[in-house]
Amino acid sequence: MPIRVALVGTGGIARGQHLPSLAQLGDRVEVVAVTDTNAESARSAAEEFGIPAVHPDLSTLLEAERPDIVVLATPPIAHREQAIAALDAGAWVISEKPPTLSLAEYDEIAAHEGENGPYVSYIFQHRFGSAAVRLRELIRDGELGRPLVAQCNTLWFRPPEYLAVPWRGKWETEGGGPTMGLGIHQMDLLQSLLGDWSEVQAAMATLDRETEMEDVAMATVRFENGAMCSITNSMLSPRETSQVRIDFERASVEVEHLYGYANENWTWTPAPGIDGSAWAPDENIASSTHLPPFAAVVDAFERAERPDPLVTEGRATLELVAAMYKSALERRVVARTELTPDDPFCASMAGPDPAEATRRIRANTLRG
């Protein structure tokens, strides 16, 4: 019997990624129902993808369909309430990024998991590209030596009308600017490769867009393994690119792409005298598809086991995001150990006073 899947949210990401990826799982899954606040969008998605049921809201859907897995393709403001409702109904959850608006919300969702399920997973698909998988193996086995220097850049362009969408550009509904909504994928890839960080120093500004948050952010991060990394997140960059580069003792490894990479987007440069001929991945799985994380959750569901940490762990990256906001707004170096549950930046990326956070970020603007 196929696993019964329900989808919440039928916008662009659902039609472009979630539903096609679920279709590639074949008869292992059946998408039994969808819901969206836009009823017409839900109806048209159901017609396009042959989904038998449309419901007016998640509560009605959960009661009527009793799905095994609920996929959240909704804005971040909705993730907490929807994830908890699905978990409490006994459904596993697969949620779009960012996981939630805050670390406190993330932990609240996790508290609704059961010891033997249901479980919640998050879509950070850049962890699953075959080149990143191979690089993690090489790092684990010490083939490249120690990581020393890294760069992580998300330089994208979002025009002013991008922020006209009602939930964007607001602390309350989006949670943060490009650090939260754009750069989180590259920062997550970086952290999946380098592991835990120890301290961060960041600066943010609102240079050109009408938003409560930053439109550009920069940071320097120290990792527990000794590596140092610079991070830039921007929505103001006409020549768009996404980059992660790590200089190891024995090689420089770099990926440059936009919204998803394949093996050809990676450059492997051995240090002089080093033979890197055995480093290439055996497969060429791109990071632009949601299929690998979906398959990982379906595999775990069929085994009745907690999914791999590659899909269940979303807190570490959210923690780095929170520390960047704390550092930029308090204008100081922030240690990872500071982000205790009673820290106001665990409750909100804006800290204790969102209006004051906006004032401080805008104080750096070139526009006044």
Side-chain angles (χ1 to χ4, degrees):
M1 180 178 295
I3 296 168
R4 294 168 55 81
V5 178
L7 178 70
V8 185
T10 54
I13 191 68
R15 297 174 192 240
Q17 287 288 356
H18 295 189
L19 289 168
S21 295
L22 289 166
Q24 290 182 67
L25 291 169
D27 59 7
R28 298 176 69 191
V29 303
E30 178 187 4
V31 182
V32 296
V34 297
T35 185
D36 194 288
T37 55
N38 183 326
E40 178 53 37
S41 174
R43 282 193 295 270
S44 65
E47 292 174 3
E48 180 180 353
F49 289 91
I51 300 167
V54 176
H55 292 281
D57 53 53
L58 177 58
S59 176
T60 304
L61 183 154
L62 291 170
E63 184 175 355
E65 305 293 342
R66 303 295 179 187
D68 300 310
I69 297 176
V70 171
V71 178
L72 303 182
T74 50
I77 180 62
H79 291 174
R80 171 192 162 276
E81 181 179 345
Q82 292 170 347
I84 289 173
L87 290 168
D88 287 351
W92 290 30
V93 174
I94 306 175
S95 175
E96 257 300 336
K97 64 83 186 172
T100 60
L101 296 180
S102 69
L103 289 166
E105 286 190 358
Y106 184 97
D107 293 340
E108 185 179 358
I109 292 171
H112 286 259
E113 292 183 315
E115 183 177 350
N116 299 307
Y119 305 112
V120 60
S121 299
Y122 299 99
I123 298 174
F124 285 107
Q125 69 270 22
H126 291 297
R127 301 175 182 180
F128 289 87
S130 52
V133 172
R134 177 58 177 153
L135 181 53
R136 279 196 297 272
E137 293 173 351
L138 294 169
I139 294 171
R140 179 198 63 203
D141 296 340
E143 293 291 325
L144 305 178
R146 292 181 299 132
L148 302 172
V149 181
Q151 296 175 330
C152 179
N153 299 321
T154 302
L155 306 175
W156 292 0
F157 185 82
R158 294 295 182 265
E161 52 268 28
Y162 172 83
L163 292 163
V165 176
W167 60 268
R168 289 191 178 132
K170 299 178 178 65
W171 293 112
E172 183 180 4
T173 50
E174 192 173 16
T179 304
M180 182 76 154
L182 305 184
I184 194 169
H185 270 308
Q186 301 317 304
M187 292 191 295
D188 180 77
L189 173 59
L190 175 82
Q191 188 155 295
S192 80
L193 297 169
L194 290 185
D196 291 337
W197 57 277
S198 58
E199 64 179 36
V200 60
Q201 184 164 18
M204 299 180 179
T206 310
L207 299 182
D208 198 67
R209 297 291 183 264
E210 294 298 326
T211 173
E212 293 180 2
M213 296 91 74
E214 85 284 4
D215 54 22
V216 64
M218 296 182 178
T220 301
V221 183
R222 290 183 182 270
F223 284 81
E224 289 187 357
N225 56 26
M228 293 185 62
C229 179
S230 66
I231 296 176
T232 302
N233 298 314
S234 167
M235 63 166 61
L236 306 177
S237 305
R239 190 185 80 79
E240 296 184 287
T241 187
S242 305
Q243 303 167 319
V244 172
R245 169 176 170 154
I246 306 175
D247 296 329
F248 299 87
E249 290 178 297
R250 305 182 72 214
S252 292
V253 183
E254 181 175 11
V255 60
E256 182 170 6
H257 61 106
L258 186 51
Y259 300 135
Y261 62 79
N263 287 357
E264 56 266 27
N265 297 107
W266 289 76
T267 303
W268 305 68
T269 307
I274 300 296
D275 180 9
S277 59
W279 293 345
D282 293 329
E283 298 181 288
N284 190 7
I285 299 172
S287 73
S288 54
T289 173
H290 284 33
L291 179 58
F294 279 14
V297 175
V298 169
D299 290 344
F301 188 91
E302 291 174 338
R303 298 191 307 266
E305 297 176 358
R306 177 180 285 277
D308 187 281
L310 281 177
V311 288
T312 58
E313 170 50 50
R315 195 182 196 282
T317 299
L318 204 62
E319 195 174 45
L320 177 57
V321 171
M324 288 177 63
Y325 281 106
K326 181 178 177 70
S327 174
L329 290 166
E330 295 186 352
R331 299 191 177 185
R332 64 179 182 88
V333 175
V334 169
R336 187 178 187 184
T337 54
E338 295 182 43
L339 289 173
T340 55
D342 59 346
D343 189 296
F345 286 89
C346 283
S348 170
M349 298 298 170
D353 187 342
E356 176 62 14
T358 297
R359 189 196 68 77
R360 291 188 183 187
I361 292 176
R362 286 182 176 175
N364 297 320
T365 184
L366 296 180
R367 297 176 62 185

